[in-house]
Amino acid sequence: MKYTFSHIGIPTTEEKDWDGYYEPGKIHYTDFKTDEFRVEWVKFDADSPMPKMMRTMPHIAYIVNNIEEALLGKDILVETFSPGKGVRVAFISHNGSPIEFMEISE
């Protein structure tokens, strides 16, 4: 499995110029592709269903070719979901920290 660095996500309670909102997870986010250091800021609504680890700890995100293969044998934190067209993501817990896998189809 090849893991290609995508971005780092950092939780915040501050207001930002949000680029999007993922309703099911109640997550506000900035576009990491426009940040010179590939930082994605994330803010969770008070009633977000996302795990505490995701709401309180930074995560590293990697692009993978096959998300099902990447998840094999891993401690899944958040099952695979699609935050947008052509993108599938899932989160695992790795040594007590969240890691995001992203599968992007053209």
Side-chain angles (χ1 to χ4, degrees):
M1 174 61 55
K2 180 180 178 184
Y3 304 97
T4 303
F5 175 77
S6 173
H7 66 274
I8 183 167
I10 303 175
T12 185
T13 57
E14 297 176 6
E15 286 301 322
K16 306 276 185 196
D17 290 327
W18 303 113
D19 295 307
Y21 181 71
Y22 179 64
E23 175 69 36
K26 300 187 177 187
I27 306 167
H28 305 262
Y29 59 89
T30 61
D31 185 356
F32 59 85
K33 290 178 263 171
T34 62
D35 184 83
E36 79 178 296
F37 300 110
R38 299 196 62 90
V39 172
E40 171 192 53
W41 293 98
V42 290
K43 181 176 179 273
F44 298 86
D45 290 350
D47 59 346
S48 172
M50 301 310 267
K52 181 178 180 181
M53 182 186 290
M54 284 193 52
R55 291 182 281 117
T56 59
M57 297 179 71
H59 70 268
I60 302 291
Y62 295 96
I63 297 172
V64 297
N65 292 332
N66 183 307
I67 203 161
E68 285 80 17
E69 185 180 325
L71 293 172
L72 285 176
K74 304 294 190 294
D75 181 11
I76 297 174
L77 188 61
V78 177
E79 294 285 345
T80 304
F81 65 96
S82 179
K85 184 178 178 186
V87 179
R88 296 191 321 142
V89 303
F91 288 82
I92 65 166
S93 175
H94 175 71
N95 293 330
S97 295
I99 302 288
E100 178 180 8
F101 293 148
M102 303 174 65
E103 181 184 285
I104 301 172
S105 61
E106 300 299 320

